[in-house]
Amino acid sequence: MIPQSYATDTQAKATELASTVAAAFSPLQIASACTAVESFLRKHSPDQQRWFFSITFPALICRIFGFDDTPHPSATTKRHPSNGWIDVATSGSDSELSGRIFSLLSPNGLLLSSISGVDRLSLVKYVFPNERLPEWVRYMLRNEKDCQVLTDLCPLFRNRIKENPIKGSAYQVQLNVLEYYLFWFAYYPVCRGNSEGSETVKVQRTKMFRLENWSYSIPGLSSIKREAEKKTEGDLYLRLLYVYLHSFVPSQDLYVQPYRSSLLHYSPGYDSSVMERAEFVINTMIHFWLVDSDFSPLSTGLCKANGVIFPFRSVLGETPPTSGLGDVINVFIKYLNLSSVVAMDGPDKADVRSPAWRVGSYDVANTRDAALSINSIGSWNLMIQRPLYRFILRTFLFCPVESSIKNASQAFALWVSYMEPWSISFEEFADLNETLGLPTVSSANSANKASTPGYTSSWQGFVLDNYLFYSSLVMHFIGFAHKFLHTDAEIIVQMVAKVINILTSSVELMDLIKNVNTIFHSKAAAEPSKSMLTGLNRYIPTIRQQLQDWEDGLCESDADGSFLLENWNKDLRLFADGEDGGQQLLQLFLLRAESELQSISGNNLSQNLQCLDSLKAQLSQLFGGSISKSPPGTPQLRHQQQSREEIFKPRSFGSQTGAEIKYRGDWMKRPVSSDEIAWLASVLVSISGWLNEKVGLNQVGLNQGASGWSYLEVLSDVKNVQGTKETLKVVLSSFLSWVLWLGEAGVQLMRRHGLRVNLRMLASKKIVAMVLVFTMFNLLKRAFAL
């Protein structure tokens, strides 16, 4: 038992140390505070460190990540104040300070070693603030029923949700010391991204504008690398992220372990806490970075099997993911995919995982413990498929036209990197391994060096498991490319060329994608009972389920500027022959891109046209035949002369009924531009939609001319009109009839020509300013007249 005097002395020292940590802003103060923390931990055993983790550790977390609101005493007002130790070390490029902080926070450091000892004794528990949790989790913690669902279906919060003893009805997340630290570690880039995202950077809509940050951030689009990308090992947070993944998450996961298939295969010395900790780390980063504000956070099959419906669509809406997470997610995904690199070390590994027992299948998804069975399958890739797909898709769909596109560029770089896992090698982390003192060469690395990076048959299982990344997501990206083509045609063309180049990089890969698409649309695949599920056929049910699950609630909406059909995402349309197929949309993209590039007419015009010709050649290889021909029945010259508004007009407008028309890509419902008032535009669009619905302008008047003219039947007993009252009544009725006839004729004319009421133009800032000036002038005129 610890004496009372000793405990009081320890408490006083912990309080003094907390004050020292909280006052550390300069590099010298930070280094001194790190030394003081390590000195305190070195002098006290784990059972004597309760006061440190009760008093000092929360202050230490605030200073490391800069979560407190205390500004630097000598700091001037900046665009984005960064007082955290990580920010100070990174912004100042102080390698000595970075090394000092890294030594304190490394898994082999004294701090995390002490944390491990305290957790073994269960001395301290923390409550993580609800307002810092992922958005969908916050809503689940409001009542007991949702908390039970959260505990049952989400492994991250299993046995960690407790009732608040103070408030009684509120629930909270209780964590041990390591879990508490990792939650804050994962929340740090989210907090930084939200701070940067709150300051919207408007894009000037000029022809000469160039999005240089796109070409710098997308692999393969520019030979010039950003200084930050050249020295990834200089980013302290990325170094910590990598070393935590290396220490807590085995790259050779259960997929290559001898005990992977059942409990009977576990070795006697197996420590389940190692895999539980790895699952916790991965799930923490998935939910903080990839899921966060997603209105469909968990698998729909899992929720349906347990009778759970998440009512987050109306709350979260079309919320894009947090910006600025591309770099950290890229390191995270690449590291997890190293397990796939290890697994695909030979052609005999291609079909090891049968889709009948993978997590995407119907059998597993309908069980309450589906989330727990992920790692029994054996690849971290299965845990990140759905959240990563939805993260990229939500970014493409919900990226505002007039705001910063940094998030979209990072999501694109993440996507193209994920599509080429065969290009990932241990050499990519060689610099980090060297700076961290980790082994730079492994047996898996040496085996990987012998083979040339590129698609081989051993990667067939990976492509089939992630088929939507190579098909449906490509279609969504085509809509994104059309949406942003006018912003910078040169960069958008290069992005499309990069995606098509991946699909055509290998004849074997291209044939695989086409064969799966053919089988997917065949009648045999639609009726599994009448077909033998052999070869590629056995993957079709899984792909069909993934299409419904991964894209749950995500499709081109009225506000995103796309012109794709409403239900097209329920099918694979990349190789479809219709006007909503990939070939026709890409052909339309080429026509628009050529027009945009010629209108810019800069020094790079010839180079851009060569890139466009190269893209045409790749598309001809992908779809077969010539891609330069005009769409059927549409002269090429007519497309070149069309404006962007005409191209974005729904092309199937004249052949659909009013119930079918959803006005996809309607220019009236385009994203809010910089010269409009957002709330006023939203109100006017709603009023316009109500008027169009009331007068029937949502219906296409193709057969209006077939009906005869309406006429009045004159009765035989008509009396003469006498008296002033009856005369006024007749005149008034005639006037009203004329007005109604004129209005009906106008409505019929608008229906015939596909016109509708559009009050959105009144939301223009210029019009509003003119109205305000005119109103103020009249008011001042009346005031002076009095």
Side-chain angles (χ1 to χ4, degrees):
M1 185 174 179
I2 302 176
Q4 182 67 25
S5 58
Y6 184 82
T8 304
D9 182 63
T10 305
Q11 180 181 1
K13 290 182 178 179
T15 304
E16 181 182 356
L17 181 58
S19 302
T20 302
V21 169
F25 290 96
S26 66
L28 185 61
Q29 292 173 337
I30 295 174
S32 177
C34 292
T35 302
V37 169
E38 292 179 341
S39 177
F40 183 94
L41 295 175
R42 192 176 293 108
K43 294 178 180 178
H44 297 80
S45 60
D47 59 336
Q48 300 171 346
Q49 296 172 358
R50 183 192 299 270
W51 289 115
F52 172 85
F53 288 101
S54 299
I55 301 175
T56 310
F57 189 66
L60 181 62
I61 286 182
C62 289
R63 295 308 312 128
I64 290 174
F65 301 110
F67 291 139
D68 59 336
D69 299 327
T70 305
H72 191 288
S74 61
T76 58
T77 302
K78 298 186 294 182
R79 174 176 172 268
H80 175 52
S82 300
N83 300 322
W85 292 359
I86 294 179
D87 295 318
V88 172
T90 303
S91 60
S93 299
D94 192 336
S95 58
E96 183 177 354
L97 179 61
S98 298
R100 190 69 190 87
I101 299 175
F102 179 84
S103 176
L104 175 67
L105 303 178
S106 65
N108 297 326
L110 189 59
L111 177 61
L112 264 67
S113 299
S114 300
I115 289 176
S116 178
V118 170
D119 284 340
R120 279 196 298 267
L121 300 175
S122 299
L123 294 178
V124 181
K125 289 287 185 180
Y126 294 100
V127 175
F128 193 82
N130 287 359
E131 63 272 12
R132 308 300 182 186
L133 291 168
E135 289 196 42
W136 74 277
V137 179
R138 303 178 202 170
Y139 296 101
M140 298 294 289
L141 294 177
R142 294 182 176 181
N143 57 75
E144 183 179 0
K145 180 180 178 181
D146 291 341
C147 288
Q148 185 62 41
V149 171
L150 188 63
T151 302
D152 292 342
L153 301 186
C154 189
L156 179 61
F157 299 100
R158 184 169 287 114
N159 300 325
R160 296 184 176 95
I161 297 180
K162 308 295 182 182
E163 186 175 359
N164 191 338
I166 300 177
K167 296 183 179 180
S169 59
Y171 290 83
Q172 57 192 14
V173 179
Q174 293 186 5
L175 308 168
N176 62 29
V177 183
L178 180 61
E179 294 169 349
Y180 185 72
Y181 171 76
L182 291 177
F183 261 48
W184 283 116
F185 181 82
Y187 176 71
Y188 167 74
V190 177
C191 178
R192 184 173 56 181
N194 289 333
S195 300
E196 295 175 354
S198 61
E199 301 172 3
T200 305
V201 180
K202 293 294 183 182
V203 179
Q204 299 296 328
R205 303 179 71 178
T206 58
K207 290 295 183 181
M208 300 304 296
F209 182 78
R210 287 293 175 268
L211 306 177
E212 297 295 341
N213 59 326
W214 279 38
S215 58
Y216 291 160
S217 61
I218 301 171
L221 296 191
S222 176
S223 58
I224 304 176
K225 298 291 185 178
R226 291 182 299 176
E227 195 67 23
E229 290 182 350
K230 290 182 180 180
K231 298 182 178 180
T232 306
E233 68 276 7
D235 192 320
L236 177 58
Y237 184 85
L238 291 182
R239 291 173 60 197
L240 288 171
L241 171 61
Y242 177 73
V243 75
Y244 290 157
L245 291 173
H246 187 275
S247 300
F248 299 147
V249 182
S251 60
Q252 299 181 5
D253 60 3
L254 292 181
Y255 179 59
V256 292
Q257 298 295 333
Y259 40 78
R260 66 176 179 268
S261 60
S262 72
L263 292 176
L264 298 177
H265 292 168
Y266 280 71
S267 60
Y270 172 69
D271 185 5
S272 61
S273 63
V274 175
M275 192 52 61
E276 291 176 357
R277 185 175 58 185
E279 291 179 9
F280 176 84
V281 172
I282 294 177
N283 282 318
T284 298
M285 295 173 181
I286 286 177
H287 283 282
F288 272 95
W289 297 345
L290 298 179
V291 181
D292 192 15
S293 59
D294 192 350
F295 55 79
S296 179
L298 301 178
S299 170
T300 56
L302 182 64
C303 296
K304 184 177 180 181
N306 293 275
V308 177
I309 299 177
F310 291 116
F312 301 142
R313 183 69 183 270
S314 59
V315 179
L316 300 177
E318 298 177 349
T319 305
T322 304
S323 61
L325 298 179
D327 292 336
V328 295
I329 296 179
N330 203 19
V331 173
F332 175 60
I333 298 299
K334 281 187 174 182
Y335 180 85
L336 295 186
N337 273 347
L338 284 179
S339 60
S340 299
V341 174
V342 175
M344 302 302 174
D345 57 355
D348 57 324
K349 299 281 187 175
D351 291 325
V352 169
R353 286 175 293 162
S354 171
W357 52 283
R358 62 186 302 282
V359 162
S361 62
Y362 182 81
D363 312 20
V364 180
N366 283 346
T367 62
R368 178 177 293 270
D369 296 329
L372 291 178
S373 58
I374 288 179
N375 284 325
S376 64
I377 295 170
S379 178
W380 301 124
N381 180 263
L382 298 179
M383 297 179 66
I384 62 177
Q385 286 177 326
R386 184 183 192 272
L388 177 62
Y389 184 91
R390 292 183 63 86
F391 176 87
I392 298 173
L393 181 54
R394 288 166 57 221
T395 304
F396 288 159
L397 293 183
F398 304 147
C399 179
V401 174
E402 294 296 334
S403 63
S404 174
I405 54 176
K406 177 183 177 182
N407 196 23
S409 64
Q410 291 183 346
F412 178 82
L414 179 64
W415 174 39
V416 296
S417 175
Y418 186 80
M419 291 174 69
E420 294 184 297
W422 43 84
S423 64
I424 302 176
S425 65
F426 287 88
E427 295 179 356
E428 293 196 27
F429 300 99
D431 294 337
L432 282 171
N433 287 330
E434 184 177 355
T435 58
L436 299 177
L438 301 173
T440 57
V441 180
S442 64
S443 58
N445 189 21
S446 59
N448 190 44
K449 287 181 179 180
S451 60
T452 304
Y455 175 81
T456 60
S457 58
S458 61
W459 288 100
Q460 177 176 316
F462 179 90
V463 174
L464 293 175
D465 285 345
N466 299 273
Y467 184 77
L468 296 189
F469 285 90
Y470 300 86
S471 178
S472 183
L473 193 54
V474 176
M475 287 294 294
H476 285 288
F477 175 71
I478 294 174
F480 171 84
H482 274 285
K483 177 181 175 181
F484 282 92
L485 179 60
H486 67 281
T487 308
D488 192 312
E490 180 180 347
I491 298 301
I492 295 296
V493 169
Q494 295 181 37
M495 294 171 70
V496 174
K498 176 64 177 178
V499 174
I500 302 301
N501 180 60
I502 294 176
L503 299 181
T504 59
S505 60
S506 170
V507 177
E508 190 176 359
L509 173 61
M510 187 169 54
D511 292 341
L512 176 63
I513 297 175
K514 289 183 177 180
N515 292 337
V516 173
N517 182 81
T518 302
I519 298 174
F520 183 90
H521 292 93
S522 64
K523 294 183 179 180
E527 301 177 3
S529 59
K530 298 182 180 180
S531 63
M532 296 296 294
L533 296 181
T534 58
L536 299 179
N537 294 53
R538 60 179 179 171
Y539 286 90
I540 301 304
T542 299
I543 294 175
R544 198 177 302 276
Q545 183 191 2
Q546 287 176 344
L547 190 61
Q548 297 177 358
D549 180 21
W550 295 3
E551 299 191 0
D552 176 41
L554 294 177
C555 63
E556 276 65 15
S557 65
D558 293 339
D560 69 355
S562 176
F563 50 85
L564 301 181
L565 299 182
E566 177 186 8
N567 295 324
W568 78 277
N569 66 310
K570 295 182 179 179
D571 201 353
L572 302 180
R573 309 298 300 168
L574 180 59
F575 297 98
D577 296 329
E579 63 179 4
D580 60 341
Q583 182 174 359
Q584 295 295 337
L585 293 177
L586 284 170
Q587 188 165 342
L588 178 61
F589 172 82
L590 290 176
L591 294 173
R592 295 188 59 216
E594 186 174 1
S595 176
E596 292 282 349
L597 291 175
Q598 289 178 350
S599 64
I600 296 175
S601 63
N603 298 329
N604 298 330
L605 179 59
S606 59
Q607 182 179 356
N608 293 334
L609 293 179
Q610 290 179 0
C611 179
L612 204 61
D613 292 337
S614 175
L615 177 57
K616 292 180 181 178
Q618 290 180 337
L619 292 177
S620 299
Q621 181 183 1
L622 179 62
F623 296 105
S626 176
I627 199 69
S628 59
K629 296 181 180 179
S630 301
T634 307
Q636 182 176 358
L637 180 61
R638 177 170 172 264
H639 274 283
Q640 292 178 349
Q641 294 176 348
Q642 281 183 324
S643 64
R644 180 164 60 250
E645 290 81 358
E646 294 172 341
I647 290 178
F648 268 87
K649 184 177 180 179
R651 292 159 290 155
S652 55
F653 177 79
S655 61
Q656 297 184 20
T657 63
E660 294 173 344
I661 296 175
K662 298 300 182 182
Y663 300 104
R664 295 297 183 215
D666 186 0
W667 193 245
M668 181 176 68
K669 297 184 180 181
R670 67 192 183 279
V672 178
S673 59
S674 58
D675 59 346
E676 291 181 317
I677 300 177
W679 67 268
L680 184 58
S682 177
V683 172
L684 293 176
V685 167
S686 300
I687 296 176
S688 301
W690 179 81
L691 290 175
N692 291 323
E693 185 69 25
K694 288 300 180 182
V695 300
L697 292 180
N698 289 340
Q699 300 178 1
V700 184
L702 293 178
N703 302 321
Q704 299 296 336
S707 60
W709 291 93
S710 59
Y711 62 92
L712 295 176
E713 182 180 355
V714 182
L715 301 178
S716 59
D717 58 344
V718 176
K719 300 179 180 180
N720 294 330
V721 178
Q722 299 178 356
T724 306
K725 184 177 181 180
E726 293 185 1
T727 302
L728 291 177
K729 184 184 298 184
V730 171
V731 172
L732 182 60
S733 299
S734 301
F735 177 76
L736 292 177
S737 300
W738 180 79
V739 172
L740 292 176
W741 173 85
L742 186 62
E744 181 66 20
V747 170
Q748 295 296 339
L749 182 64
M750 294 178 69
R751 288 179 183 175
R752 188 175 298 111
H753 293 279
L755 302 177
R756 293 176 299 128
V757 176
N758 184 3
L759 303 177
R760 179 167 178 172
M761 62 184 68
L762 301 179
S764 173
K765 293 181 180 179
K766 295 180 180 178
I767 295 179
V768 174
M770 292 177 60
V771 172
L772 292 177
V773 170
F774 181 76
T775 304
M776 292 298 298
F777 177 78
N778 287 337
L779 292 176
L780 292 175
K781 185 178 178 180
R782 293 183 179 182
F784 284 110
L786 296 176

